[in-house]
C-alpha cells in the first residue's frame, strides 16, 4: 500500500475529536485514572460489564468505596508503590460483587511538571480462564511426577543432547547413584560402548519423526562398574511447535533374566553344534508327532526349512515309500513313541522330497524323555544312502579339511571352539587359543618354490602335532597360520609353557632335500572365559596378541590384554565410516572378466564392490562386506550395487557390447520382502535386457529356503534374469535336487580349483560335478583360476566359462572397456 493511501485511511479512522475515548471504551480491560487522593477521574466502559456500574457514576468516588475493602487490601501494596513513584503490578483474586475472579493489574504513576505523582493510570485484565488452565496443568504435572517418582521401574527424562533432566528413585537404585549424581551425568556416561551406537541411532529416528517410540535391550554401567542389563522403552515429548523437549525413558532390570537366558543358551548351543556337526539328518517332534526342529541336513533332504516345518505333522514333512511297491510306509517314530523303544526303518525305503523326487534312506527312531523319564517326544535320525550322498559327504569333507595338511580348516575350527567353550563353562574351567604364524614364510616360497613351501607346511603341521599329546586340537587357519585349541588349562602359565615348547620345536622343522630352514614363529594367546566366551572374539583377540608380539619382535608369544583390542575399535570405525560411504561417493564397482573356456574371449563380467577415498583403498572387501551384513548396511549398499551394475550393463549394451553382468546377492537382501520389487524397478528404470543380468546366490539360500524361496526363484526366472549358484560344493547339496530349481549356472568354488593339479581326489570330485551339472543342462563356471594347468584341466572337463587372476584382475570400467576393445 502506498504511503499517501495509508495516511488517508488512518485519517478517516481517527476522524472526530472523540476517537481516543472510543478506543479506551472498547478495550477488553478495566482502564481508569485515579487522582492523588485515589478518586476516579476516568473509568472506561468495561467497568459497566464487569462491575455492573455506569462508569460516569464512578467519577469522583474513592477507589475503596467502589471495589470494597477486601479487594482494596489485596491491591493496596502495589497501589502504594505506584503512588510512591514506581510502576507496580498485581496478580491475584478480586471480587466483582457477583463472583470471584482472577485478575492481573498494572499501576503506572503520572507525574506533574515538578516530578510529583499527581495520579495513577490503572489497567486491570481478567485472567480467570487462564489461571484455571494453569492450575489444571499444575495439578496434572503434580500427578505425573508423583507417578514418575514412585514408579516400580526406572524412569528418566533426558534432554535431546543426552543429559539427564529428571530421574526417579527406582532408576537411582538400579544404577547405584544418588539423584544429584545421576543428574550430573549424560546418557553416554552410563551406556556400554558397544550399545551406544544403536541407542543413539534409534533416538535420532525419534527426533526425525521416523518412529513414535522404540524398545531396546541394552547394557548400562552400575556406579561400582558392573553391567546392568535393562529392557528399555523410549518415547519423545515435543512442545506446541513440534520441537523436541525431552525423551521419556523407562528401564526394567533384566539381569536375572539374562543370566537364565545365558545358561539356557549354552545348553542349546551345545545341542545345536552337535546336530549341525553330524553328517546325518535329524528331526525332532512332540508327543503328537508335530515337528519341533530339523537340522540343516534334514532341511536339505526334505526340502523344508526348520522354521517353516515347525508345528506341522510329521507325515506332511517326512514321507516314506517302499522302493519296490511304491506304497506308503508307516512312520517308525509313531511306534517308537507308543512302545518307548528304538525302532529302525526297513531297508529299501525312499524319502520323498518336498518337490516330489525320492532319495533312498536309512533311519532310526527313538523316544525323547524328560528328567523324570517320561516320554515327551521323538527323534528321527536318517541319512542318504545314494551315490549322490557319498559324493556330497566327500565334498563336505574337502571344504572342512585342509587338503594340504589334512587338518580341520577354519570352517571346522569354529565348531571346535564352540564345543571347548561349552565344556569349559560346564566344568567351570579355563581354556585358550594359540594363534601361530610362521615368520617370513613368503621367503621360503620365493626361494624354494611353492611345491617346496607346501612340503614345509606339512612338516611344520606334523611338528606342532608332536607337541600336542593330549586333547588339544590343531587347525590350519590360513596360508601359514595355524590355531591350537586348548580345551582346559590349570593356569595361564600352562599355555605359556606350551608356546615355549612350540617355538623350540618349530625351529627343528626339516624337509628332505632342502637346506636347514630355521623356521621361526610368533604366537598370540587368548584365554576363555577371561578374555571372551565367543569363538570369533577369541580368534580375533589371539590374532591381535600375535600381531602385538610381532610388533615387539618376531619369534615370541604374547597374552592378549584389553589394551590390545584396537581391532574391535577398528571394526566400529569401519562401520561408522561405511554408513557415510554411499553419500560420499566412495563406493565403486570393479569388473572381473569371465572368459569363454574354448575361445578365450570375454563372455561376461562379475561386478565386485570396492571402497576408495582420496585415491586409495579404504578397506578390502573381506573387511567391510561382513560388517555391512552384520549391521544391515548391506541392504542399501546391495540395492546400489544392483542399480549401478544394471546401468553399466545397459551402457555397454548401447555401445554394442552385450556383456552379461553377474551380481552377488546377500542372504539379507534375498530374504527381504521387497527384493523382487527392487529388482523389477531397477530393470524397468535402466531399460536393461534382463538376460544380461545374472544373480549369484549361495547354496544355502537356495536349498533351505522352502516354498517361498522356490516361488521367488521362479518369479525372477520368468522376468528373464539368469540365476547362478555361487561357491558350489561348500555345503550339503545333492546335484539331483538342482533339477527342481531354475538355476542356470553353477560356480565351482575356488577351494576345489586351487588343488586340481595337486590332489587327485579333488580332481575326481570336480570332474564329477562338471559332468553331472552338464547332464542337467547347467552352465559351469570355475572361479579362482590362477594357472594355465588349472584352466586347461577345467576346459577339457567341460567348463563353460573361466574366471580368475589368470584371465584378469577386477578392474575399473575404463580398464574393462579397453579390454573389450582389445579382444574385439
Amino acid at each position: 500500500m502506498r504511503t499517501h493511501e495509508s495516511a488517508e485511511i488512518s485519517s478517516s479512522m481517527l476522524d472526530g475529536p472523540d476517537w481516543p475515548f472510543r478506543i479506551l471504551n472498547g478495550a477488553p480491560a478495566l482502564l481508569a485514572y485515579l487522582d492523588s487522593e485515589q478518586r476516579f477521574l476516568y473509568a472506561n466502559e468495561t467497568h459497566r460489564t464487569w462491575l455492573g456500574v455506569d462508569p460516569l457514576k464512578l467519577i469522583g468516588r474513592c477507589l475503596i468505596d467502589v471495589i470494597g475493602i477486601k479487594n482494596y487490601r489485596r491491591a493496596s501494596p502495589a497501589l502504594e508503590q505506584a503512588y510512591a513513584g514506581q510502576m507496580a503490578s498485581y496478580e491475584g483474586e478480586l471480587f466483582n460483587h457477583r463472583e470471584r475472579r482472577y485478575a492481573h493489574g498494572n499501576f503506572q504513576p503520572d507525574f506533574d511538571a515538578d516530578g510529583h505523582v499527581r495520579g495513577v493510570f490503572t489497567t486491570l485484565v481478567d485472567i480467570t480462564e487462564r489461571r484455571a488452565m494453569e492450575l489444571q496443568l499444575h495439578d496434572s504435572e503434580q500427578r505425573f511426577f508423583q507417578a514418575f517418582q514412585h514408579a516400580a521401574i526406572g524412569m528418566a527424562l533426558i534432554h535431546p543432547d543426552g543429559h539427564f533432566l529428571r530421574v526417579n528413585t527406582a532408576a537411582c537404585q538400579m544404577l547405584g547413584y544418588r539423584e544429584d549424581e545421576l543428574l550430573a551425568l549424560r546418557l553416554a556416561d552410563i551406556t556400554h560402548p558397544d550399545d551406544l551406537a544403536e541407542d543413539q541411532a534409534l533416538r535420532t529416528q525419534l527426533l526425525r519423526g521416523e518412529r513414535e517410540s522404540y524398545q531396546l535391550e541394552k547394557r548400562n554401567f552400575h556406579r561400582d562398574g558392573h553391567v546392568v542389563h535393562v529392557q528399555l522403552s523410549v518415547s519423545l515429548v515435543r512442545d506446541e511447535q513440534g520441537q523436541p523437549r525431552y525423551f521419556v525413558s523407562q528401564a526394567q532390570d533384566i539381569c536375572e533374566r539374562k543370566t537364565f537366558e545365558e545358561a539356557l543358551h549354552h545348553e542349546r548351543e551345545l545341542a545345536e553344534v552337535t546336530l549341525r556337526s553330524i553328517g546325518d539328518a535329524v528331526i525332532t517332534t512332540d508327543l503328537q508327532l508335530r515337528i519341533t526342529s530339523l537340522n540343516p541336513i534334514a532341511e536339505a533332504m526334505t526340502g523344508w526349512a526348520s522354521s517353516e516345518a515347525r508345528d506341522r505333522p510329521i507325515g506332511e514333512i517326512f514321507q516314506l515309500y517302499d522302493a519296490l511297491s511304491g506304497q506308503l510306509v508307516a512312520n517308525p517314530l509313531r511306534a517308537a513313541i507308543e512302545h518307548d523303544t528304538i525302532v529302525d526303518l526297513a531297508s529299501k525305503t525312499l524319502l520323498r522330497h518336498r518337490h516330489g523326487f525320492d532319495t533312498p534312506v536309512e533311519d532310526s527312531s527313538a523316544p525323547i524323555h524328560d528328567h523324570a523319564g517320561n516320554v515327551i517326544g521323538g527323534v528321527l535320525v536318517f541319512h542318504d544312502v545314494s551315490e549322490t550322498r557319498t559324493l556330497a559327504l566327500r565334498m563336505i569333507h574337502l571344504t572342512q579339511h585342509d587338503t594340504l595338511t589334512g587338518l580341520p580348516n577354519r570352517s571346522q575350527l569354529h565348531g571346535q571352539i564352540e564345543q571347548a567353550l561349552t565344556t569349559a563353562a560346564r566344568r567351570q574351567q579355563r581354556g585358550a587359543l594359540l594363534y601361530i604364524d610362521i615368520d617370513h614364510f613368503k621367503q621360503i616360497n620365493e626361494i624354494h618354490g611353492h611345491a617346496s613351501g607346501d612340503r614345509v607346511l606339512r612338516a611344520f603341521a606334523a611338528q606342532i602335532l608332536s607337541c600336542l599329546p593330549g586333547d588339544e586340537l590343531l587347525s590350519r587357519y590360513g596360508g601359514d597360520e595355524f590355531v591350537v585349541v586348548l580345551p582346559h588349562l590349570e593356569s595361564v602359565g600352562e599355555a605359556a609353557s606350551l608356546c615355549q615348547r612350540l617355538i623350540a620345536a618349530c625351529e627343528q622343522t626339516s624337509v628332505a632335500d632342502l637346506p636347514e630352514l630355521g623356521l621361526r614363529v610368533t604366537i598370540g594367546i587368548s584365554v576363555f572365559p577371561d578374555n571372551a566366551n565367543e569363538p570369533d572374539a577369541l580368534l580375533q583377540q589371539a590374532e591381535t596378541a600375535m600381531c602385538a608380539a610381532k610388533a615387539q619382535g618376531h619369534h615370541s608369544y604374547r597374552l592378549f590384554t584389553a589394551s590390545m583390542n584396537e581391532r574391535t575399535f577398528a571394526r566400529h570405525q569401519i562401520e561408522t565410516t561405511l554408513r557415510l560411504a554411499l553419500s560420499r561417493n566412495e563406493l565403486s564397482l570393479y569388473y572381473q572378466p569371465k572368459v569363454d573356456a574354448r575361445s578365450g574371449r570375454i563372455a561376461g563380467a562379475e561386478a565386485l564392490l570396492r571402497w576408495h577415498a582420496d585415491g586409495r583403498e579404504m578397506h578390502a572387501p573381506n573387511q567391510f562386506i561382513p560388517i555391512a551384513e552384520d549391521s544391515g548396511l548391506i541392504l542399501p549398499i546391495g540395492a546400489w550395487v544392483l542399480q549401478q551394475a544394471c546401468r553399466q550393463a545397459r551402457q555397454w549394451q548401447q555401445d554394442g557390447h552385450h556383456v552379461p553382468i553377474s551380481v552377488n546377492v546377500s542372504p539379507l537382501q534375498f530374504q527381504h520382502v521387497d527384493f523382487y520389487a527392487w529388482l523389477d524397478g531397477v530393470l524397468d528404470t535402466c531399460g536393461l535386457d534382463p538376460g544380461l543380468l545374472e544373480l549369484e546366490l549361495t547354496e544355502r539360500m537356495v536349498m533351505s529356503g522352502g516354498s517361498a524361496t522356490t516361488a521367488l526363484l521362479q518369479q525372477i526366472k520368468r522376468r528373464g534374469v539368469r540365476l547362478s549358484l555361487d561357491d558350489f560344493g561348500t555345503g550339503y547339496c545333492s546335484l539331483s535336487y538342482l533339477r527342481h530349481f531354475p538355476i542356470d549356472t553353477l560356480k565351482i568354488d575356488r577351494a576345489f580349483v586351487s588343488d586340481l593339479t595337486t590332489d587327485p581326489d579333488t580332481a575326481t570330485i570336480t570332474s564329477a560335478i562338471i559332468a553331472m551339472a552338464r547332464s542337467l543342462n547347467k552352465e559351469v563356471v570355475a572361479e579362482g583360476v590362477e594357472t594355465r594347468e588349472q584352466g586347461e584341466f577345467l576346459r577339457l572337463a567341460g567348463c563353460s566359462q573361466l574366471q580368475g587372476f589368470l584371465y584378469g584382475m577386477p578392474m575399473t570400467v575404463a580398464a574393462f572397456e579397453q579390454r573389450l576393445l582389445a579382444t574385439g
Side-chain angles (χ1 to χ4, degrees), residues 97-385:
H97 300 304
R98 297 185 304 276
E99 59 184 341
R100 178 180 297 176
R101 309 292 290 175
Y102 208 85
H104 176 86
N106 288 317
F107 304 115
Q108 174 68 47
D110 179 31
F111 301 94
D112 60 17
D114 298 324
H116 300 112
V117 176
R118 62 184 179 187
V120 172
F121 295 99
T122 69
T123 304
L124 207 65
V125 179
D126 187 349
I127 60 170
T128 304
E129 286 75 19
R130 191 193 80 185
R131 174 62 176 172
M133 291 179 63
E134 289 175 347
L135 289 173
Q136 185 179 4
L137 179 61
H138 177 74
D139 183 56
S140 176
E141 289 178 345
Q142 284 297 106
R143 288 197 300 271
F144 168 78
F145 283 113
Q146 284 294 321
F148 175 95
Q149 192 64 31
H150 299 292
I153 62 173
M155 297 189 69
L157 304 186
I158 303 170
H159 192 274
D161 68 8
H163 73 262
F164 289 97
L165 298 173
R166 191 179 182 93
V167 292
N168 73 346
T169 303
C172 294
Q173 292 173 345
M174 186 186 303
L175 298 173
Y177 289 92
R178 298 194 313 271
E179 182 178 1
D180 59 321
E181 292 175 330
L182 202 48
L183 291 177
L185 299 176
R186 299 171 66 86
L187 187 61
D189 298 329
I190 64 163
T191 300
H192 193 288
D194 293 344
D195 296 344
L196 191 59
E198 183 179 7
D199 196 13
Q200 177 62 53
L202 289 168
R203 284 189 285 122
T204 300
Q205 291 179 21
L206 287 184
L207 291 171
R208 292 174 178 170
E210 297 172 1
R211 58 166 66 219
E212 296 289 332
S213 62
Y214 70 85
Q215 288 73 43
L216 174 69
E217 279 190 19
K218 62 172 290 195
R219 292 162 291 179
N220 287 335
F221 287 119
H222 193 273
R223 191 175 188 273
D224 63 12
H226 77 263
V227 169
V228 179
H229 292 270
V230 298
Q231 175 70 46
L232 203 63
S233 179
V234 182
S235 57
L236 179 64
V237 174
R238 299 179 181 272
D239 61 21
E240 294 80 3
Q241 287 73 43
Q243 296 302 309
R245 291 186 61 191
Y246 52 80
F247 296 102
V248 179
S249 178
Q250 302 177 58
Q252 186 172 359
D253 189 336
I254 58 171
C255 287
E256 185 175 342
R257 192 194 85 191
K258 295 298 288 186
T259 301
F260 174 79
E261 288 176 350
E262 191 69 20
L264 190 61
H265 175 74
H266 279 301
E267 290 186 13
R268 186 180 295 120
E269 281 295 301
L270 176 59
E272 289 185 0
V273 167
T274 303
L275 287 176
R276 290 178 180 275
S277 299
I278 65 176
D280 287 338
V282 179
I283 299 177
T284 61
T285 73
D286 60 16
L287 269 177
Q288 286 72 42
L289 295 180
R290 292 190 296 264
I291 299 291
T292 55
S293 72
L294 284 75
N295 76 345
I297 303 297
E299 287 182 325
M301 291 186 67
T302 62
W304 288 86
S306 183
S307 59
E308 191 177 8
R310 190 173 294 116
D311 294 328
R312 293 178 183 266
I314 184 70
E316 184 178 346
I317 308 302
F318 190 75
Q319 298 179 359
L320 297 173
Y321 291 85
D322 184 274
L324 298 177
S325 66
Q327 296 298 312
L328 189 68
V329 174
N331 195 308
L333 188 57
R334 187 178 301 279
I337 291 177
E338 288 178 355
H339 302 292
D340 192 9
T341 186
I342 297 175
V343 178
D344 292 327
L345 185 66
S347 60
K348 297 183 179 179
T349 304
L350 302 176
L351 168 64
R352 184 149 296 172
H353 189 273
R354 184 179 186 178
H355 297 291
F357 54 89
D358 297 331
T359 303
V361 294
E362 290 181 351
D363 166 280
S364 179
S365 306
I368 299 174
H369 301 90
D370 63 12
H371 294 295
N374 301 310
V375 177
I376 59 172
V379 58
L380 280 164
V381 180
F382 56 98
H383 59 272
D384 184 341
V385 293

Side-chain angles (χ1 to χ4, degrees), residues 77-79 81-82 86-90 105-109:
L79 195 62
Q81 185 177 346
Q86 297 180 353
M87 183 176 178
S89 62
Y90 162 78
N106 288 317
F107 304 115
Q108 174 68 47

